[in-house]
Amino acid sequence: MPTSSHATEPYPSELLTRLRTCRHLLVLTGAGVSQESGIPTFRDALNGLWGRFDPAQLATPEAFDADPPLVWGWYAWRRSQVLLCEPNPAHRAIAVLADRVPRLTLVTQNVDGLHQRAGSPAVLELHGSLHRPYCRACGHPHIPSDPQCEVSLEGAPLPPPRCERCRGPVRPGVVWFGEALPADVWDAAETAANTCDLVLVVGTSALVYPAAELPLTALTRGAAVVQINPDRTDLDDFATFRLGGTAAQVLPELVRQGWPDAGFG
Ligand code: OAD
């Protein structure tokens, strides 16, 4: 497998040709793409005030039903942190790529909304979003307010808001452990894996299914898969190319080397 371990060295010419000539590019991102924006990972988010809580115990429907203010408050706090962060060059490079290839499908496992803020309008959010809460009882969407209104500085959370339609409790809009992915989003992602000719896998351990299936589906159909990650992952054994480096180093460089005359960055 052609490998590049330095973000700015010339990337394999076969990869750059495939990038320039691809008809449908699938980009799958995970927590690593937002790491350089300062978004705490699932576990990092547990430092400080919330350090005594186990994520596996908070990110379940049962946890919410048992203690709605605790779970709502934890997500309100995470949302407040995310809103303080900015998209990084990796998010922006992906938005630029959408203008360089005939078709790009962006699938993310992240719930932070940074791809949209970087200018990617149509994002398939496999694990939902911190910014789209909805009613636990009737599913009606709820427009989130300023998160600072929902969690006190001492970390004592307020109860979740009530649904404007049925008065049920509003829940975070993320997919919890034990819940199915949103069917329409998953179908669109799977369709992309079945029609793309190139996949960029960015900043994901590629361990969590079914998201991890997507590059494998594309590979078995003959698409090339590019793994972009500073560390080794299980996908390395299958990937067509591996670019070792952080997302914010590699993705802008990939755009620059792919279209050297376009003057990106
Ligand atoms: P992980 O935390 O499992 O993996 C993050 C990956 O990003 C690792 O492979 C790191 O090596 C890599 N990484 C770290 N910094 C990076 C950087 N600056 N640039 C590029 N890569 C970097 O996160 P995910 O794979 O996204 O699900 O996790 C998938 C799902 O597991 C999450 O969406 C969450 C969790 O259970 C749900 O909450 C449903």
Side-chain angles (χ1 to χ4, degrees):
M1 170 181 54
T3 297
S4 166
S5 50
H6 295 290
T8 54
E9 75 186 16
Y11 294 151
S13 59
E14 189 196 338
L15 162 61
L16 297 175
T17 303
R18 281 199 185 238
L19 182 64
R20 276 191 291 266
T21 58
C22 77
R23 295 179 308 282
H24 182 183
L25 176 63
L26 169 61
V27 182
L28 171 66
T29 66
V33 80
S34 294
Q35 190 262 339
E36 285 150 292
S37 291
I39 305 277
T41 62
F42 207 52
R43 288 185 186 281
D44 288 343
L46 293 174
N47 293 328
L49 290 174
W50 298 91
R52 63 188 186 281
F53 299 111
D54 174 357
Q57 312 242 302
L58 289 173
T60 66
E62 294 76 23
F64 181 75
D65 292 342
D67 193 342
L70 174 70
V71 174
W72 178 261
W74 188 59
Y75 281 97
W77 176 77
R78 285 182 61 193
R79 184 166 165 263
S80 71
Q81 299 303 296
V82 159
L83 288 173
L84 295 174
C85 298
E86 295 296 327
N88 69 55
H91 298 106
R92 287 194 286 276
I94 293 169
V96 167
L97 271 174
D99 294 329
R100 302 277 162 94
V101 298
R103 185 169 169 210
L104 183 146
T105 302
L106 175 54
V107 180
T108 190
Q109 299 163 88
N110 299 343
V111 294
D112 54 39
L114 283 186
H115 284 303
Q116 290 90 335
R117 285 171 58 197
S120 293
V123 186
L124 297 174
E125 294 176 303
L126 288 180
H127 296 164
S129 169
L130 288 171
H131 310 293
R132 284 199 314 276
Y134 61 90
C135 176
R136 169 91 169 113
C138 76
H140 188 63
H142 175 82
I143 297 170
S145 59
D146 178 348
Q148 295 304 338
C149 302
E150 292 167 352
V151 56
S152 77
L153 286 179
E154 294 75 39
L158 303 173
R162 291 271 153 196
C163 172
E164 62 177 18
R165 193 161 73 180
C166 77
R167 310 305 300 157
V170 170
R171 59 158 283 176
V174 301
V175 175
W176 281 328
F177 293 112
E179 292 187 311
L181 303 192
D184 53 340
V185 175
W186 174 251
D187 287 350
E190 215 178 17
T191 301
N194 277 304
T195 51
C196 67
D197 48 358
L198 183 63
V199 188
L200 304 183
V201 181
V202 187
T204 174
S205 52
L207 288 174
V208 176
Y209 282 81
E213 258 170 49
L214 296 171
L216 301 177
T217 299
L219 260 178
T220 53
R221 291 182 27 261
V225 171
V226 187
Q227 169 69 323
I228 298 171
N229 198 309
D231 300 321
R232 274 198 59 79
T233 73
D234 288 355
L235 189 64
D236 290 8
D237 294 338
F238 307 99
T240 323
F241 302 96
R242 169 175 162 71
L243 302 180
T246 72
Q249 292 169 337
V250 170
L251 280 165
E253 189 57 29
L254 193 59
V255 175
R256 272 192 287 274
Q257 293 190 26
W259 292 270
D261 300 330
F264 174 67

